[in-house]
Amino acid sequence: MSVARTEAAAKPLPGASTKSRKPTFRPEVQGLRALAVLMVVAYHVWLGRVSGGVDIFLLISAFLLTLSFVRKAEAGRPFGLVAHWLHLFKRLLPAAVVVILGVLAGTWLILPQSRWPEVLDQAWASLLYSQNWLLANTAVDYYAQDHAGASPLQHFWSLSIQGQVFILWPLVFAGAAGLLVLLRRIPACAGMTYRGLLAVVFGTVFAWSLAYSAEQTATNQAYAYFDTRARLWEFALGSLLALALPYLKPARGLRVVLGWAGLAAMVSCGLLLTVDRSFPGYVALWPTLAGAAIITAGQTGSRFGVDRILSSKPLVALGDNSYALYLWHWPVLVLALAATGVEAPNLIQGLAIVGASVVLAVLTTRFVEKPLRDWHWPKLRAWRTAVVIVACGALLAGPVAIWQTTLTAEESATAAQPRELTPGAAALTPGNAAMPAPDARIIPGPAALDNDWAGIQDPCVGANATLDPILEGCRQAVPEGEVTKRIVVLGDSHSQQYLGALAPIAAARGWELVTLLMPACRFGAESETRNAECNAYNQASAAYVLEHRPDAVFTVASLTHEEAPFETEVPGYLDGVRPFADAGIEIIGIRDNPRFTFNMPECVQRNGTEAHECSVPLDESLADPSPLEGYRGKVEGLHLMDLSDFICARGICPGVVGNVYVYKDDNHLTRTYVETMIPMFEQRLLAATGWD
């Protein structure tokens, strides 16, 4: 959502000072901006859904930008790109910096320490207009930290895309002006107009980006949602609308119908469509065309026109504060929910959140945005405007850099502790079970917790020529010297987490490890409870095993859940591993670890290591008897392992054992904790398999 003001031919708002509004001001578009932000706020606060209002912001931004540059071109005025960019970002940055600083203060006061690195990274991304790319990469990273709440800065993704387009679009306008001079030298193109050339350019961008958006949304929606390329068509549509507007002259009655139809489609979009899962593909034409219809309807002059509502003083006034309201509403909502522990606000709580957001927005507009916009000194020289921009950036960059440096130093101090102070799972061995853990910092430190994940990075070798294309995630570790055993690790992230113990043991004993892993895809025979992609991956994994005949496969043999039943058999597990046994391949099946309804390390950081809230009873975490008992004796060569006594003890499954975080989120063990299990893991593995 841009802070640029509406510029298109219209009468000034009745009762408003003509000195305070440009003669091209269109109040109905300013009201449309206000209604769009109200939709965004209301849907976020009460419905927990995405409204489609942001798509309308993108349309309006390009619409206004195109009107401004086309007006300059047709009047023969220079574009002054550098001056334009400096002026634009001088208006955008101050309010954004104030909000980000407010978010940092709220983060320090409210959010658990493990979330601080994420917010600090996003503060940089928001300042540099790259938040959308950061979120795109995180959205498709299954192993990224799974935080219970949303980031208070994630809404900057749309502002980042707009900032990128605000740099790109003026280059297009300038490039088109230069290209037009060359084209007019060609007799066949002598009559080409600037609008006509821009229509061709933006029409091409619209067609390409919409096709790309539809394809990416269908195949990789989580990434496409934040992908600038998948959103360019929405800006191109706004530009095409601005170019065509002088030629769109529907009758007044039709404009009245267009306005109301557009409003109805706009308001209902988020209710009828799953915007967060189906956008920004062709379905996003719904809200953008709705916004285009309202803009096309314009000032109808009819008492029944929707513009009569959109041009009202309250909506226009809210439109003046819409940028700041968009900036504030999301962090206020996220931080309020984090502070109160409320999952979804009721009517009264929601009104309080909206009211606080409006107050902060008005104050920001009145005391930050407007004074800097009207400040005369920076307008005299371009370098002065640049100084203001740099000063705003430094005002945020300083605290963020200092905070990150402090976290890094604390993390180094935490990691440098003597290992005897952080025994982890060793604290649950019979000899240490009655001894209290020594006083020490919990490891891994909050800044390192997000990346505390076990994995093998080297791609598969040797068998690549015959590797099934489905098994793109294949990874291999080959020990130095003679290979004494070959083991294939099958399944999902719960198999992968045990590589923290299995990989060091394999390296020490000369075992070769091949990992065939797919997130959220437990290994077993084909099942209706799995999606088609997971079933296909398991089939391809099984085919790989049967073709290459390793000595053994490693799997997770049970499946834990957030709610009762807390642990079950893996669907189709015995049928999935039986062909391996028939081929003489041994199978190692380890019991799954508990899964919770909350983020365990964040609970510990909020409430302390001894808090009852962060210690879940064993009978609410795992089944008794274990599902593994139902497997015994049914498949020859199936060896079962249970390490739950080194995760839960004395009837409780805690978040910290031996000064080590057991979990990195609500269901994955930290690599650090699994590494403390190496001696117990090796002992149980050798005892189960009979290997020496």
Side-chain angles (χ1 to χ4, degrees), residues 534-569:
C534 178
N535 280 326
Y537 193 91
N538 282 341
Q539 290 175 1
S541 299
Y544 177 94
V545 171
L546 293 174
E547 177 182 356
H548 296 281
R549 300 295 177 97
D551 296 285
V553 296
F554 179 89
T555 64
V556 177
S558 67
L559 183 63
T560 51
H561 311 274
E562 293 181 354
E563 299 176 349
F566 299 105
E567 184 184 16
T568 62
E569 296 181 354

Side-chain angles (χ1 to χ4, degrees), residues 30-336:
Q30 191 72 334
L32 175 61
R33 188 202 307 276
L35 185 59
V37 76
L38 281 178
M39 284 175 51
V40 172
V41 173
Y43 274 69
H44 281 164
V45 172
W46 285 293
L47 301 179
R49 294 170 64 97
V50 180
S51 66
V54 169
D55 302 87
I56 296 173
F57 298 151
L58 306 186
L59 175 88
I60 293 175
S61 296
F63 173 78
L64 301 177
L65 194 63
T66 304
L67 288 179
S68 176
F69 273 90
V70 169
R71 188 178 297 115
K72 288 179 182 179
E74 293 180 340
R77 288 181 288 152
F79 289 145
L81 296 186
V82 174
H84 166 78
W85 287 324
L86 289 173
H87 174 70
L88 177 65
F89 287 103
K90 180 178 75 71
R91 297 177 68 183
L92 289 171
L93 270 179
V97 167
V98 167
V99 172
I100 296 172
L101 287 172
V103 169
L104 293 181
T107 297
W108 184 78
L109 290 170
I110 297 171
L111 297 185
Q113 286 182 308
S114 60
R115 300 196 57 187
W116 292 0
E118 170 202 27
V119 174
L120 291 172
D121 287 343
Q122 291 193 11
W124 283 117
S126 299
L127 176 65
L128 300 174
Y129 290 89
S130 59
Q131 174 77 304
N132 63 306
W133 295 115
L134 177 63
L135 291 177
N137 292 327
T138 304
V140 297
D141 182 5
Y142 178 84
Y143 302 106
Q145 183 78 337
D146 179 19
H147 294 303
S151 163
L153 289 175
Q154 71 181 42
H155 65 314
F156 269 83
W157 72 266
S158 65
L159 302 176
S160 296
I161 291 179
Q162 289 185 81
Q164 295 159 27
V165 171
F166 287 158
I167 293 175
L168 174 62
W169 249 227
L171 293 174
V172 174
F173 294 129
L179 179 61
L180 184 63
V181 173
L182 298 177
L183 289 176
R184 282 178 172 173
R185 296 177 182 176
I186 303 174
C189 302
M192 178 171 288
T193 65
Y194 185 62
R195 282 179 182 265
L197 179 57
L198 284 179
V200 173
V201 172
F202 288 123
T204 302
V205 172
F206 174 85
W208 172 82
S209 176
L210 181 57
Y212 173 82
S213 182
E215 189 273 333
Q216 287 294 303
T217 301
T219 58
N220 193 4
Q221 191 271 336
Y223 190 93
Y225 192 88
F226 302 108
D227 189 341
T228 301
R229 296 164 295 182
R231 296 279 182 175
L232 287 179
W233 69 266
E234 297 179 297
F235 292 95
L237 180 60
S239 294
L240 291 171
L241 177 62
L243 295 171
L245 197 62
Y247 309 102
L248 299 176
K249 299 179 180 179
R252 185 167 72 171
L254 179 56
R255 284 191 285 132
V256 171
V257 173
L258 271 177
W260 282 108
L263 181 64
M266 171 183 169
V267 173
S268 64
C269 174
L271 293 175
L272 301 178
L273 303 177
T274 53
V275 175
D276 58 328
R277 295 192 297 275
S278 57
F279 276 37
Y282 64 89
V283 181
L285 284 166
W286 182 316
T288 51
L289 291 178
I294 294 173
I295 294 173
T296 302
Q299 289 285 333
T300 65
S302 169
R303 60 187 297 187
F304 302 109
V306 74
D307 55 293
R308 188 175 181 86
I309 298 174
L310 296 178
S311 300
S312 63
K313 289 183 179 180
L315 275 183
V316 172
L318 182 61
D320 292 339
N321 294 276
S322 59
Y323 176 58
L325 179 56
Y326 180 81
L327 286 173
W328 276 115
H329 87 282
W330 183 254
V332 170
L333 172 64
V334 171
L335 293 174

Side-chain angles (χ1 to χ4, degrees), residues 522 556-561 565-571 573-574 589-593 618 621-634 638 640-642 644:
R522 192 65 50 90
V556 177
S558 67
L559 183 63
T560 51
H561 311 274
F566 299 105
E567 184 184 16
T568 62
E569 296 181 354
V570 175
Y573 180 76
L574 292 181
I590 193 169
R591 189 180 190 182
D592 201 2
N593 60 271
L618 180 61
S621 305
L622 297 172
D624 186 17
S626 165
L628 273 60
E629 296 302 319
Y631 297 152
R632 295 193 185 278
K634 293 186 177 179
L638 173 59
L640 301 172
M641 290 177 59
D642 187 348
S644 60

Side-chain angles (χ1 to χ4, degrees), residues 436-518:
D439 292 333
R441 298 187 184 195
I442 303 173
I443 64 170
L449 195 57
D450 194 27
N451 298 316
D452 201 57
W453 187 256
I456 296 177
Q457 302 303 320
D458 297 330
C460 282
V461 294
N464 265 341
T466 59
L467 190 64
D468 192 305
I470 295 177
L471 303 178
E472 292 180 355
C474 183
R475 296 290 182 269
Q476 182 165 335
V478 182
E480 297 181 2
E482 182 183 358
V483 174
T484 58
K485 284 187 184 297
R486 295 179 61 246
I487 301 174
V488 176
V489 181
L490 300 177
D492 55 10
S493 56
H494 282 226
S495 292
Q496 182 172 348
Q497 67 188 358
Y498 281 110
L499 292 174
L502 183 58
I505 295 170
R509 290 181 168 269
W511 300 346
E512 177 184 342
L513 289 182
V514 174
T515 61
L516 304 177
L517 303 169
M518 179 179 181

